Amino acid sequence: MPRPQRELDPNSLVGHFGAELRTHRNKANLSMAQLAAALGCSAQWIGQVELAEKPPSELFALDLDTYFETGGSFHRLWKVIKRAGRSQVLLPGFPAYIELESQAVLIRSFVTQLVPGLLQTEDYARAVISAWPDPAPVEERVATRMEQQAILRAETPPYAWFVLDEAVLHRPFGGADVMREQLKLLAGLVTSPYVQVRILPFASMTYAGLDGKFTLLRLGDGTEILYQEGPGFSQLIEDPGTVGDCAARFDLVMGEALPRAASHQMLLRTLENLK
């Protein structure tokens, strides 16, 4: 006996995906079992997706587009669902930042406490995210951070310049083994033509880094955008005066930082002394 169809939340993207699936299946005069056999999955899975009891997977969305020849509409809807899910677990404003970051031709970032997200290993990212007293899913945030790093592996990646306060090297999130792999990754970037990692030593006394971390994005049209985070918030700033002030501050901390080769040597010494 077929299960009664329950009324779906009209604002549910997963529910909309399920409704689209049911519409295409019925239009093709297919039972759940017939479609399941064609796609190599179970009829139960299809029923759960149609009733919004399970979110669709990316592979399932792609298979549906191929089978029903829908020109990518199921996959596009899956991507909307994924973005919406991220917005529920990320800081307000951060999804917008990720979108702009993917369009940047130059990224300049000064960080004081942690290795920046674009340069984190997966284990380091997990240790950092797990340290927050936050109920949001850790693995969802880790996955977002790892996907965010894809811009540095693009065919033509942005130039990315990072100035790390020396304290970052001595804060062992995840323990010695995790930190060891993280430092190896940072040290290995010395040969990258696009990424620079400079260390701001403890001996530096410049005022420019006293107010904490910030990131500057330069887009292809020359637009400069400032991104800042604080406890429970993040913000994008386009005011030319504020952006210009932070650009000047970045130049100052870059000037106070160790040269690239000396920064590399400090990373190696820290790695050797890690217990």
Side-chain angles (χ1 to χ4, degrees):
M1 181 178 180
R3 291 190 296 176
Q5 291 187 5
R6 57 185 177 84
E7 187 173 345
L8 298 175
D9 178 359
N11 296 316
S12 167
L13 291 170
V14 176
H16 179 58
F17 188 103
E20 285 295 302
L21 170 55
R22 186 182 305 109
T23 296
H24 280 80
R25 181 175 61 78
N26 289 338
K27 186 176 180 180
N29 293 316
L30 294 170
S31 67
M32 291 183 187
Q34 289 171 323
L35 180 58
L39 298 181
C41 61
S42 70
Q44 181 184 17
W45 163 256
I46 290 177
Q48 289 173 325
V49 173
E50 287 191 2
L51 291 172
E53 294 175 351
K54 296 280 188 181
S57 67
E58 182 176 19
L59 181 59
F60 185 60
L62 291 169
D63 285 345
L64 290 174
D65 280 328
T66 300
Y67 186 81
F68 290 116
E69 298 181 351
T70 46
S73 61
F74 278 106
H75 190 238
R76 286 190 292 272
L77 182 53
W78 174 84
K79 288 193 286 188
V80 172
I81 293 170
K82 189 172 182 65
R83 285 197 299 271
R86 285 176 177 170
S87 69
Q88 295 174 7
V89 301
L90 301 177
L91 283 175
F94 190 65
Y97 168 75
I98 292 178
E99 182 65 27
L100 289 170
E101 185 184 63
S102 69
Q103 302 170 28
V105 296
L106 173 63
I107 300 170
R108 291 170 290 171
S109 184
F110 171 61
V111 294
T112 58
Q113 301 292 325
L114 305 167
V115 174
L118 283 176
L119 303 182
Q120 292 177 0
T121 66
E122 184 172 340
D123 287 338
Y124 183 94
R126 185 173 291 106
V128 169
I129 293 169
S130 297
W132 288 91
D134 192 322
V138 169
E139 293 307 315
E140 180 78 17
R141 290 190 171 185
V142 171
T144 298
R145 189 156 298 180
M146 295 300 101
E147 291 172 16
Q148 184 185 356
Q149 296 176 3
I151 63 170
L152 298 182
R153 299 188 295 272
E155 185 175 348
T156 306
Y159 289 98
W161 302 341
F162 300 92
V163 177
L164 281 58
D165 190 277
E166 185 178 348
V168 172
L169 310 185
H170 302 286
R171 187 167 289 108
F173 272 98
D177 289 341
V178 170
M179 197 63 191
R180 187 174 294 108
E181 293 305 309
Q182 180 63 73
L183 292 175
K184 285 181 181 178
L185 185 150
L186 295 177
L189 292 171
V190 69
T191 59
S192 171
Y194 293 99
V195 180
Q196 287 202 38
V197 177
R198 304 283 191 90
I199 308 301
L200 184 69
F202 288 135
S204 172
M205 303 297 287
T206 179
Y207 81 94
L210 297 180
D211 293 333
K213 66 178 182 177
F214 59 87
T215 298
L216 292 155
L217 304 177
R218 181 180 297 166
L219 306 185
D221 63 1
T223 300
E224 297 267 3
I225 299 172
L226 168 67
Y227 177 73
Q228 291 182 308
E229 285 184 1
F233 80 92
S234 62
Q235 59 182 344
L236 292 162
I237 300 172
E238 296 186 55
D239 174 68
T242 305
V243 173
D245 176 68
C246 281
R249 286 171 178 258
F250 185 84
D251 289 344
L252 286 171
V253 295
M254 190 77 159
E256 287 285 326
L258 297 174
R260 195 175 191 185
S263 295
H264 181 240
Q265 288 302 313
M266 178 175 281
L267 284 166
L268 293 179
R269 287 197 302 271
T270 306
L271 186 57
E272 289 174 0
N273 294 331
L274 189 63
K275 303 298 183 183

